[in-house]
Amino acid sequence: MPIYQSPIKDMQFVLHEVLRVSEDDCPGYADLDRDMTGAILEEAGRVAAEVLLPLNAVGDREGCRLENGVVRTPTGFQDAMRAMREGGWTSIDCDPEHGGQGLPYVMHTAAQEAFVSANMAFNMYQGLTHGAYSAIRSHGTEAQKATYLPRLATHEWSGTMNLTEPHAGTDLGIMRTRATPNGDGSYAITGQKIFISSGEHDLTENIIHLVLARIPGGPDGTKGVSLFIVPKFLVNEDGSLGARNGVACGKLEDKMGIHGNATCVMNYDGATGFLLGEEHKGMRAMFTMMNEARLGVAMQGMAQAEIAYQNALGYARERLQGRDLTGAKNPGGLADPIIVHPDVRRSLMEQKSFCEGARAFTYWGATLIDRAHRTGDQDAEALISLLTPVLKGFLTDKGFEMTVAAQQLYGGHGYIEEWGMSQFVRDARIAMIYEGANGIQALDLVGRKLASDGGRPVMAFFDMIKGFIKAHEGDADLKAGVLDPLKAASKDLQAAAMFFMQAAGKAPNDALAGATDFMHMMGHVCLGYMWARMAVAAKASLSEGAGDRAFYEAKLATARYHAARQLPATGMHLARITSGAAPVMALEAASF
């Protein structure tokens, strides 16, 4: 069975030496000292390794079963969910008035990393519930908050989001699900939604569906879409469960991965729903849930790469094959461990530099969300809005690539199910598709986010990197090995952005054809910035005589690797972008 050990030392390094959370003036951050965060992360790591990891292969092998309208989850999932509830893991950052612990979102994010690595399919049940909690907290009436939030926080009830229909995925403006007023303030919801994660299961006593639908007479397109709370069981005034609502799972999808999570076709037949937020403003309310979900999916890309890397590293240290050309490293054995070979080292360094850089990027994104929500900081809100498609798109594209790289190190054994690497690859693949396919993330970045607020957020991003480089370029070693490559990559990104600005009016396809390249280019720059910050922190700790010199020296070596071997990819992406749309659009549709 695959192994997993939560990378607590690295998590603590990012939280306390890179982000310096306990020194931040964001409300709640002063309490996040090393002892507190260490205790939380240690226990989360224990739960991940002892409770969730043993069920990962079980969920993959057994999957979910639809029996007489009820979905049965895999063996052990109910007990595991009970342990998660009793441990308070479903409500780390939920409001204390709802039974939560009120900790910052960054601690929710860090704890969730361990859970996602250990069992991604299982963790989706509570991840979607957290999103439903956030949407109702932000847009619900006081009565709706009182009814739903306490039980969503404790995961007595779970939540979903229902967007996609058989004919309408990304283009939600053409959805057909309708919401007819009942005359008493409620609505009758009729239609079908597909690909609904956690849509039906036996882990909670009620499921609270958030459903996008059209109220008759509303505007066309997404401007006419509203959001509704549709419980599986209606809730009585005293909070007890009432009659079964008119919503049912019609089918379970047979999927490539995440078998332990129930992906459902949901049929709404006059189900009673309650408007969440304003009429025809459903997309705004739903995006509260979707933006949080996209950061969560970004973490799925990183977290699956992390567990795959841990196992590949262990295998590379033990698997004997061939001899080191510079001299045998295991002279008493028939061969050397494959970790001695340069191409294996290259693969492991790619995986290591991605996982650690992506962790810092994800936690940084979580601190921006905290600052935006806890202080009302509009600059933080603008920056995380800009970075969200990069986090989701780049980290899931590269995360999947890293799981494949880890599988590759096993050779033929990586293709055999008993080693577990296949599951990491299959589970990671969905993260590139759901919560907005990555091509859509790229289009959102280029088509909307770059021009947002007159381009001020992206200019602030460039200024932030420029200021960081200037502040630290007095260190000759860092300048040559880390900062100069980051400066060159940032200039490539600025050149691409300028190309898009010039093309926007006269040749919009030039920008659209380069959208994915730009998203990846910006992802490389973001990870380069994270590695530069980690290198500065590592050097500071070494100069202060920190105990674990090997840890910090490894950080510096990995930062230099990333700068030398990964950041130059921005030049390739810039060349593709500036070639414009002509090579992409040269063939007529019939010629493919």
Side-chain angles (χ1 to χ4, degrees):
M1 185 180 82
I3 55 91
Y4 174 71
Q5 183 174 1
S6 186
I8 295 169
K9 187 175 184 63
D10 199 58
M11 292 171 168
Q12 290 279 70
F13 170 72
V14 173
L15 290 173
H16 294 286
E17 296 176 59
V18 180
L19 300 176
R20 296 184 174 273
V21 291
S22 62
E23 301 170 27
D24 197 299
D25 64 358
C26 186
Y29 273 45
D31 296 329
L32 301 181
D33 58 36
R34 279 185 177 270
D35 288 342
M36 180 185 187
T37 60
I40 292 170
L41 296 176
E42 287 279 356
E43 182 61 13
R46 185 195 67 77
V47 172
E50 297 179 9
V51 178
L52 302 186
L53 181 64
L55 298 178
N56 198 34
V58 174
D60 188 54
R61 184 173 60 250
E62 290 187 8
C64 297
R65 309 183 315 277
L66 179 59
E67 298 176 350
N68 300 318
V70 177
V71 170
R72 305 298 180 188
T73 53
T75 303
F77 271 41
Q78 289 185 340
D79 290 340
M81 188 58 74
R82 190 176 303 112
M84 298 298 285
R85 280 197 295 266
E86 292 172 355
W89 297 110
T90 64
S91 58
I92 286 180
D93 64 325
C94 295
D95 294 338
E97 65 182 286
H98 304 137
Q101 300 172 51
L103 292 174
Y105 181 68
V106 69
M107 288 311 301
H108 166 83
T109 300
Q112 287 289 306
E113 179 194 335
F115 302 149
V116 175
S117 282
N119 197 324
M120 176 174 157
F122 173 87
N123 200 66
M124 288 171 63
Y125 292 101
Q126 60 182 357
L128 287 159
T129 302
H130 190 279
Y133 172 93
S134 297
I136 295 173
R137 182 183 59 183
S138 296
H139 302 283
T141 65
E142 291 306 312
Q144 288 171 340
K145 293 176 185 179
T147 298
Y148 299 107
L149 294 187
R151 288 176 176 173
L152 287 172
T154 59
H155 212 264
E156 293 173 73
W157 298 350
S158 58
T160 72
M161 60 177 174
N162 288 233
L163 291 77
T164 305
E165 299 182 5
H167 66 288
T170 300
D171 190 357
L172 295 173
I174 62 173
M175 70 171 57
R176 295 172 183 157
T177 300
R178 65 185 185 275
T180 305
N182 286 327
D184 60 358
S186 68
Y187 293 77
I189 311 298
T190 301
Q192 185 180 79
K193 299 289 185 177
I194 64 171
F195 305 153
I196 308 306
S197 299
S198 311
E200 167 62 30
H201 55 79
D202 57 4
L203 300 178
T204 58
E205 62 183 15
N206 204 4
I207 302 174
I208 310 305
H209 302 287
L210 298 191
V211 184
L212 285 178
R214 292 186 171 283
I215 299 173
D220 293 334
T222 55
K223 293 181 179 180
V225 171
S226 301
L227 184 61
F228 299 88
I229 299 173
V230 187
K232 174 181 175 180
F233 289 97
L234 296 173
V235 182
N236 297 321
E237 288 188 9
D238 64 358
S240 62
L241 297 185
R244 175 67 189 260
N245 208 351
V247 53
C249 174
K251 176 187 175 185
L252 279 179
E253 300 292 358
D254 186 11
K255 310 183 299 292
M256 174 180 177
I258 55 168
H259 296 153
N261 190 266
T263 304
C264 304
V265 174
M266 300 302 298
N267 297 320
Y268 293 86
D269 185 12
T272 300
F274 307 92
L275 184 66
L276 178 60
E278 301 176 51
E279 284 190 4
H280 316 312
K281 299 291 179 63
M283 293 304 297
R284 183 173 65 182
M286 181 59 80
F287 268 110
T288 298
M289 193 173 185
M290 289 181 67
N291 285 336
E292 178 183 302
R294 284 171 178 169
L295 183 65
V297 172
M299 187 170 61
Q300 289 179 343
M302 176 265 287
Q304 288 300 288
E306 171 66 31
I307 188 171
Y309 164 67
Q310 288 189 20
N311 284 273
L313 176 60
Y315 185 82
R317 286 171 169 163
E318 296 174 1
R319 174 68 168 174
L320 303 180
Q321 201 92 135
R323 286 293 188 192
D324 185 341
L325 295 182
T326 65
K329 296 298 186 291
N330 180 36
L334 296 176
D336 289 331
I338 63 173
I339 199 170
V340 306
H341 303 307
D343 195 58
V344 172
R345 290 286 185 90
R346 172 201 59 77
S347 179
L348 290 171
M349 284 295 282
E350 281 192 13
Q351 294 170 56
K352 178 180 173 64
S353 66
F354 169 77
C355 291
E356 294 176 14
R359 176 173 298 111
F361 188 18
T362 305
Y363 289 15
W364 177 44
T367 65
L368 292 173
I369 290 176
D370 273 332
R371 178 158 288 279
H373 290 175
R374 289 175 172 245
T375 72
D377 187 329
Q378 294 300 306
D379 291 336
E381 181 72 45
L383 184 54
I384 190 57
S385 180
L386 172 71
L387 295 177
T388 293
V390 184
L391 280 156
K392 195 280 181 185
F394 181 72
L395 295 192
T396 59
D397 276 353
K398 297 297 287 186
F400 173 72
E401 183 182 322
M402 293 303 105
T403 63
V404 172
Q407 181 190 40
Q408 183 73 14
L409 289 184
Y410 279 70
H413 293 295
Y415 203 65
I416 304 301
E417 291 292 346
E418 69 182 83
W419 289 86
M421 302 307 289
S422 167
Q423 184 183 354
F424 302 143
V425 171
R426 289 184 286 104
D427 285 357
R429 184 63 182 87
I430 186 57
M432 302 162 68
I433 297 172
Y434 60 15
E435 301 305 338
N438 286 356
I440 298 300
Q441 301 300 321
L443 294 178
D444 177 48
L445 175 64
V446 169
R448 295 179 62 245
K449 299 300 174 62
L450 288 186
S452 176
D453 194 19
R456 277 184 278 274
V458 74
M459 294 307 299
F461 173 79
F462 288 135
D463 288 343
M464 176 182 61
I465 292 178
K466 182 179 179 181
F468 181 86
I469 292 171
K470 186 174 182 180
H472 298 284
E473 61 187 358
D475 185 319
D477 174 52
L478 280 182
K479 183 177 185 301
V482 178
L483 299 178
D484 283 350
L486 175 59
K487 181 186 288 188
S490 181
K491 287 183 176 180
D492 284 344
L493 185 64
Q494 292 177 64
M498 185 61 66
F499 176 81
F500 287 159
M501 290 175 61
Q502 294 170 346
K506 57 184 179 180
N509 275 355
D510 281 352
L512 300 180
T516 292
D517 280 290
F518 188 85
M519 179 181 74
H520 277 244
M521 182 186 260
M522 194 164 180
H524 282 297
V525 171
C526 287
L527 257 63
Y529 174 53
M530 291 295 101
W531 270 112
R533 290 180 65 173
M534 287 191 282
V536 168
K539 287 208 77 172
S541 292
L542 286 170
S543 68
E544 294 166 4
D548 193 348
R549 292 190 62 85
F551 175 83
Y552 296 111
E553 288 169 353
K555 280 290 176 192
L556 289 171
T558 311
R560 295 186 189 104
Y561 170 87
H562 187 270
R565 299 287 299 239
Q566 299 299 313
L567 279 179
T570 60
M572 175 194 69
H573 289 299
L574 179 61
R576 289 175 172 177
I577 288 169
T578 55
S579 72
V584 174
M585 305 299 288
L587 288 181
E588 295 294 330
S591 298
F592 280 89

